[in-house]
């Protein structure tokens, strides 16, 4: 090997080697210090006692940032080789990757819309990946790494939307999910009616992870009419808050029928299903479309286990005409700051319903899917009138019990 004349003698070579090693160490130290300074500038300020309720009462800029961080933390999960963004938590699997929470498309079978929106980005192709990673750093203190396990813990729901089917339960849940302190499973777990034997751990495992101060929620509209549901929910926790979206029982029955018709076009007409005997005018109360609308009867069952203060009734009609107003009541009931306001909604003329200006986890406007807000078939007005007469006494009883006049009999 040829050496320059200066490095020819062993002493010069040894001095040069030492110099090179020192230079390398110096450069490494400088690089390390530079990275450290960079990280420090993104570290969070010390945790204050009030941060424990930061999510609940996000009243200043710090708190709002904390709320945003919570959201980001829970929306991003890592998988070797790819970063998946869960824009809508209604998917369990996509491209073979397991998502946090097991919110699946199952609810499509339950008659709900199972919209799936997932954005997949490969590392390097995501311009905001760096910003995102910083957000994660700020909370976890592990710079530059996304937690492979996700953040928070799975908890049993503290609040449940128990009904009623076709009342507007999906709209309520979608709207509530905009709140940074609500985390909800997208699909209907049907735990307290169909899957109770699977046990509470199975149920808990379906829930999304939550951070301190966040409320876990689910919705399964059949609970309201399930005899065993109140006792079972009370056994899980007597403090569970339950929410019922109620709608004019006649319109609700027609909506229910419309949904069945969309799946089974050969079923008999609404008019013929309504009566046990059309000539005598005897209503078939065993038909679930009719049965579900006898709200006073079902409520009686719930009151055996839950005090009225733990049950909130949302008007399905007002959820359409004044979503922010109804959402305000729900946020109060859940002890949350009123973060969801009129600013979150716009009326979509084409859909004919209020929609979100920005859906949770997205910056785009979001209306409910096509299975929500279906066109109902025309029903014989005489049959509609007969049903109105049938429901009137039950409605009156229900107004009395709840202390709210829903205006279905005006
Ligand atoms: P229709 O499809 O009969 O109109 P659920 O989610 O409990 O199954 O209720 C479905 C009903 O929610 C729909 O019944 C619709 O009237 C009502 N709804 C309330 N707000 C809505 C919204 N913003 N978009 C679409 N449908 C909404």
């Amino acid at each position: 090997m040829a050496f320059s004349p200066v490095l020819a003698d062993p002493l010069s070579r040894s001095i040069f080697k030492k110099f090179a090693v020192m230079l390398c160490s110096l450069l490494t130290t400088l690089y390390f210090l530079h990275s450290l300074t960079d990280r420090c500038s993104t570290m969070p300020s010390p945790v204050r006692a009030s941060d424990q309720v930061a999510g609940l009462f996000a009243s200043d800029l710090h708190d709002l940032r904390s709320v945003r961080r919570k959201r980001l933390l829970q929306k991003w999960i890592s998988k070797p080789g790819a970063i998946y963004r869960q824009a809508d938590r209604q998917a369990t699997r996509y491209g073979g990757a397991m998502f946090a929470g097991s919110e699946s498309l199952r609810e499509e079978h339950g008659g709900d819309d199972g919209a799936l929106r997932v954005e997949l980005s490969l590392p390097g192709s995501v311009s905001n990946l760096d910003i995102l990673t910083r957000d994660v750093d700020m909370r976890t203190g592990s710079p530059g790494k996304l937690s492979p396990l996700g953040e928070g813990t799975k908890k049993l729901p503290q609040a449940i939307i128990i009904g009623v089917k076709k009342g507007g339960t999906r709209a309520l849940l979608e709207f509530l999910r905009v709140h940074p302190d609500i985390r909800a499973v997208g699909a209907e777990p049907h735990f307290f009616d169909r899957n109770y034997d699977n046990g509470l751990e199975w149920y808990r495992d379906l829930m999304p992870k939550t951070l301190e101060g966040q409320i876990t929620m689910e919705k399964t509209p059949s609970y309201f009419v399930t005899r065993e549901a109140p006792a079972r929910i009370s056994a899980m926790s007597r403090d569970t808050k339950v929410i019922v979206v109620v709608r004019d029982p006649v319109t609700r029955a027609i909506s229910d029928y419309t949904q069945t018709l969309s799946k089974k076009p050969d079923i008999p007409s609404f008019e013929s299903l309504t009566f046990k005997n059309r000539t005598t005018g005897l209503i078939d109360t065993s038909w679930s479309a009719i049965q579900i609308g006898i709200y006073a009867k079902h409520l009686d069952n719930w009151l055996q286990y839950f005090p009225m203060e733990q049950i909130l009734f949302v008007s399905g009609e007002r959820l359409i005409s004044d979503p922010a107003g109804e959402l305000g009541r729900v946020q109060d009931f859940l002890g949350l700051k009123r973060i969801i306001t009129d600013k979150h909604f716009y009326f979509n003329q084409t859909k004919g319903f209020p929609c979100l200006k920005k859906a949770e986890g997205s910056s785009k406007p979001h209306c409910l899917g096509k299975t929500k807000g279906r066109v109902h078939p025309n029903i014989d007005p005489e049959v509609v009138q007969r049903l109105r007469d049938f429901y009137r006494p039950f409605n009156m009883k229900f107004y009395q019990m709840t202390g709210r006049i829903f205006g279905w009999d005006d």
Side-chain angles (χ1 to χ4, degrees), residues 98-119:
M98 194 71 185
F99 282 135
S102 40
E103 298 130 338
S104 70
L105 294 173
R106 273 174 305 143
E107 74 184 326
E108 187 58 48
H109 308 298
D112 228 330
D113 60 342
L116 165 66
R117 299 193 309 282
V118 180
E119 293 169 23

Side-chain angles (χ1 to χ4, degrees), residues 164-171 175 219 247 255 320 351 353-354 368 371-374 376:
V164 298
K165 185 185 178 194
K166 305 319 291 173
T169 54
R170 174 56 55 189
F175 297 164
K219 79 124 179 156
R247 179 185 189 185
S255 171
I320 297 170
K351 175 90 183 154
F353 283 92
L368 263 59
T371 62
K372 303 296 170 184
R374 291 187 174 103
H376 296 175

Side-chain angles (χ1 to χ4, degrees), residues 12 32 47 49 78 124 190 192 195 240 246-247 260 263 323 332 349 400:
S12 307
F32 178 74
V47 177
S78 69
H190 282 278
F192 296 104
N195 296 310
T240 313
V246 284
R247 179 185 189 185
T260 313
K263 292 171 185 166
D332 291 349
Q349 297 292 346
Q400 231 176 32

Side-chain angles (χ1 to χ4, degrees), residues 6-48:
V6 184
L7 299 178
D9 71 291
L11 184 64
S12 307
R13 271 214 309 275
S14 147
I15 291 172
F16 178 78
K17 263 193 202 161
K18 276 185 188 155
F19 176 73
V21 168
M22 275 170 62
L23 191 67
C24 280
S25 321
L26 187 68
L27 284 172
T28 313
T29 312
L30 279 173
Y31 176 73
F32 178 74
L33 283 173
H34 171 77
S35 309
L36 201 65
T37 322
D38 191 36
R39 296 296 174 212
C40 284
S41 67
T42 65
M43 287 293 274
S45 51
V47 177
R48 295 167 292 155

